[in-house]
């Protein structure tokens, strides 16, 4: 009986540690400043659907002057880490990854300049 009570208490504690998964849509906007025209620009990151192994290509919009990608995360985390690449070369070499803190509304817009904080 004592074992059952202990197991039940452990189950309750373990279940209360699980974070609620939420949908977060992030629009990443990267200024074309400092990027050679015609470059292949992409974003990589820590949390799915981003990864450090595969690119999420960011098409260029000549009207706005920005490379843009909209990514939807399903996570219990409040932020994620990312970096941009141009023609396969990472920005901010040797520096910490960028972070985006998810907006409570579920929609976040990030505007960055390649290789600049």
């Amino acid at each position: 009986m004592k074992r059952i009570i202990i197991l039940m208490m452990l189950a309750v504690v373990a279940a209360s540690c699980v974070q609620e998964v939420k949908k977060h849509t992030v629009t990443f906007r990267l200024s074309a400043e400092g990027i050679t025209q015609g470059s292949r620009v992409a974003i990589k990151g820590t949390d799915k659907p981003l990864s450090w192994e595969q690119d999420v290509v960011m098409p260029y919009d000549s009207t706005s002057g920005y490379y843009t990608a909209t990514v939807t995360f399903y996570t219990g985390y409040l932020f994620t880490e990312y970096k941009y690449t141009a023609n396969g070369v990472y920005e901010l070499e040797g520096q910490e990854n960028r972070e985006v803190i998810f907006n409570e509304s579920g929609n976040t817009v990030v505007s960055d300049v390649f290789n600049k904080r």
Side-chain angles (χ1 to χ4, degrees):
M1 182 66 146
K2 188 175 180 181
R3 283 186 190 176
I4 293 174
I5 293 172
I6 291 173
L7 288 174
M8 288 175 50
M9 289 173 51
L10 287 174
V12 169
V13 169
S16 67
C17 294
V18 176
Q19 295 174 326
E20 179 184 351
V21 173
K22 294 183 180 178
K23 177 182 175 182
H24 298 283
T25 301
V26 180
T27 300
F28 295 93
R29 300 178 70 232
L30 181 65
S31 170
E33 177 187 329
I35 299 174
T36 306
Q37 188 174 8
S39 293
R40 182 179 186 277
V41 175
I43 186 168
K44 294 185 176 201
T46 303
D47 299 307
K48 292 181 182 181
L50 297 181
S51 79
W52 297 113
E53 288 75 37
Q54 290 198 292
D55 293 338
V56 172
V57 176
M58 301 177 71
Y60 178 66
D61 178 1
S62 59
T63 304
S64 68
Y66 282 88
Y67 293 88
T68 306
T70 300
V71 180
T72 300
F73 300 88
Y74 293 90
T75 181
Y77 294 117
L78 302 176
F79 71 95
T80 193
E81 295 184 2
Y82 66 99
K83 276 191 178 178
Y84 300 105
T85 62
N87 298 323
V89 177
Y90 279 95
E91 65 162 351
L92 305 171
E93 190 65 36
Q95 297 181 38
E96 295 289 320
N97 298 330
R98 294 181 186 265
E99 287 186 358
V100 57
I101 298 171
F102 300 128
N103 188 314
E104 289 181 20
S105 72
N107 295 305
T108 306
V109 178
V110 176
S111 292
D112 294 311
V113 176
F114 191 80
N115 237 7
K116 293 184 182 177
R117 292 250 180 221

